Amino acid sequence: MSSQKKTTGRSWTWFHRFGSPEYFYRFAERWGPRSAVVTLLLFLTGLYWGLVIAPPDYQMGNSYRIIFIHVPAAWMSMFTYVIMAVAAGTGLIWRMKMGHIVAKASAPLGAAFTFCALVTGSLWGKPTWGTYWVWDARLTSELVLLFLYFGYIALANAIEDQKSANQAAGVLALVGLINLPIIHYSVEWWNTLHQGSTVSKLGRPSIDTRMLIPLLIMFAAFNFYYVTTLFNRVRCELVDQERRTKWVKELI
Amino acid sequence: MSEFFHMGGHGFYIWTSYTLVLIVFVYNYVSPIIKRKRLIQQIDTANKSAGRSKERDYINTHNHPE
């Protein structure tokens, strides 16, 4: 009985350790720069492969090369939102400060990914569809996602008291989750201009392998970029919020 | 080489996309690092001036030169 308790206890210790601001800071300080190196290498490989080695598309010509930043950015815009909402939820339910800090650090990154997805999509739309923008379901719901991030950032920063700011922004993050399935299924639910998914069709992705490999490398690059910049933002936020604690004073 | 930048007539769309993403990504990487360094400096000077005023208080309360 007691040994069973111990093992379940041990499996949760990582969760509690990352709940400690000091531990999280040290972890980010140690692994952030390494993640930055991996990010850079992945980007260089992915870009060279995507822009130079991969052949042009038989229908779209070279404009399809925007896919190597557009699709990972769009994917990350949603992935970051899930992380943000889960982190905010953890902060709300278990009153874990680190949850709110991770959520707050994710919001500007998510907004950046969403912005990149919208702009690159628009620049891809012009030569492919003949227009920069249409009020199609996919595009509109992605724009709503950008405004959700802006709303979160505004709420988290506008309220003076840190605890009320975390609560209000956290609730907004959770409510905004409704938008994610709408974005994902928009291309299936409504007959729109935006094409369906190319990669995630399990088993048979409708994309040539010579194009799929650089796309997957760019996916990895975007994920490592997210981790690297998340660590940077978390460190910044921790120094700001924990400035009166002993460990921050020792840092200085 | 110029063919590479031309991209079969799609150069404008491709290079604008890639440049914008590059700017956004570099900014996002650099800005929190600069902000943290500035914060640490601010906190450091605030702590030092707080330390000095404590010293001054101590001297003021313990020395009474008529």
Side-chain angles (χ1 to χ4, degrees):
Chain A
M1 185 64 196
S2 70
S3 70
Q4 198 188 352
K5 243 183 196 166
K6 244 180 209 161
T7 46
T8 48
R10 204 176 297 135
S11 64
W12 278 96
T13 49
W14 68 270
F15 186 73
H16 289 288
R17 259 187 281 143
F18 280 105
S20 142
E22 185 183 0
Y23 181 83
F24 202 116
Y25 189 96
R26 302 274 178 221
F27 187 87
E29 193 176 34
R30 186 177 156 84
W31 292 100
R34 291 165 202 202
S35 171
V37 173
V38 177
T39 308
L40 191 65
L41 291 176
L42 283 168
F43 266 124
L44 291 176
T45 320
L47 286 174
Y48 182 72
W49 205 316
L51 291 170
V52 183
I53 300 177
D57 184 71
Y58 79 100
Q59 236 178 355
M60 288 188 259
N62 276 307
S63 70
Y64 93 91
R65 292 184 199 275
I66 294 174
I67 201 176
F68 299 121
I69 42 179
H70 174 71
V71 173
W75 164 259
M76 289 309 292
S77 73
M78 292 164 71
F79 178 71
T80 307
Y81 198 93
V82 173
I83 303 265
M84 183 176 101
V86 169
T90 313
L92 286 174
I93 296 163
W94 288 289
R95 293 174 194 278
M96 205 180 239
K97 196 191 218 168
M98 266 327 292
H100 292 299
I101 289 176
V102 168
K104 197 179 172 187
S106 292
L109 297 170
F113 288 131
T114 313
F115 174 78
C116 287
L118 285 167
V119 171
T120 56
S122 167
L123 282 159
W124 193 3
K126 186 65 184 167
T128 315
W129 302 335
T131 174
Y132 283 111
W133 184 265
V134 277
W135 290 101
D136 138 308
R138 173 56 74 80
L139 279 68
T140 309
S141 52
E142 184 75 9
L143 188 65
V144 169
L145 183 68
L146 184 65
F147 291 137
L148 278 172
Y149 279 123
F150 285 161
Y152 179 93
I153 296 167
L155 262 183
N157 290 302
I159 303 171
E160 193 70 39
D161 175 47
Q162 193 65 54
K163 267 184 193 155
S164 344
N166 287 343
Q167 272 170 4
V171 169
L172 176 74
L174 288 176
V175 172
L177 273 175
I178 297 168
N179 193 35
L180 291 189
I182 298 179
I183 299 176
H184 185 75
Y185 291 110
S186 58
V187 285
E188 290 171 27
W189 289 345
W190 294 281
N191 198 6
T192 63
L193 206 50
H194 195 286
Q195 68 181 78
S197 164
T198 23
V199 181
S200 60
K201 271 189 259 168
L202 286 173
R204 276 188 77 89
S206 52
I207 179 172
D208 191 279
T209 326
R210 287 170 298 171
M211 301 170 178
L212 182 63
I213 294 169
L215 183 57
L216 293 178
I217 297 173
M218 289 301 276
F219 262 108
F222 272 64
N223 273 295
F224 272 95
Y225 174 80
Y226 170 64
V227 170
T228 309
T229 44
L230 177 74
F231 281 176
N232 280 341
R233 285 204 178 268
V234 165
R235 283 173 70 187
C236 187
E237 196 63 34
L238 278 174
V239 169
D240 191 17
Q241 289 189 25
E242 302 273 291
R243 61 176 76 195
R244 279 173 228 292
T245 62
K246 200 169 150 240
W247 71 268
V248 170
K249 281 179 182 156
E250 278 167 4
L251 211 72
I252 296 161
Chain B
M1 198 63 194
S2 75
E3 181 49 39
F4 175 68
F5 288 108
H6 186 60
M7 284 284 177
H10 291 141
F12 168 75
Y13 306 107
I14 296 176
W15 298 119
T16 313
S17 299
Y18 277 86
T19 312
L20 270 171
V21 171
L22 181 76
I23 293 169
V24 170
F25 275 32
V26 169
Y27 172 79
N28 254 316
Y29 177 76
V30 175
S31 72
I33 297 178
I34 294 172
K35 197 181 159 200
R36 176 172 44 91
K37 289 197 170 146
R38 214 175 276 157
L39 262 174
I40 286 179
Q41 228 164 28
Q42 266 175 23
I43 297 168
D44 192 33
T45 50
N47 283 351
K48 271 183 190 145
S49 72
R52 264 199 302 280
S53 70
K54 251 184 213 161
E55 247 169 62
R56 215 178 299 123
D57 288 350
Y58 183 84
I59 293 165
N60 285 344
T61 46
H62 288 78
N63 285 343
H64 289 287
E66 252 337 271

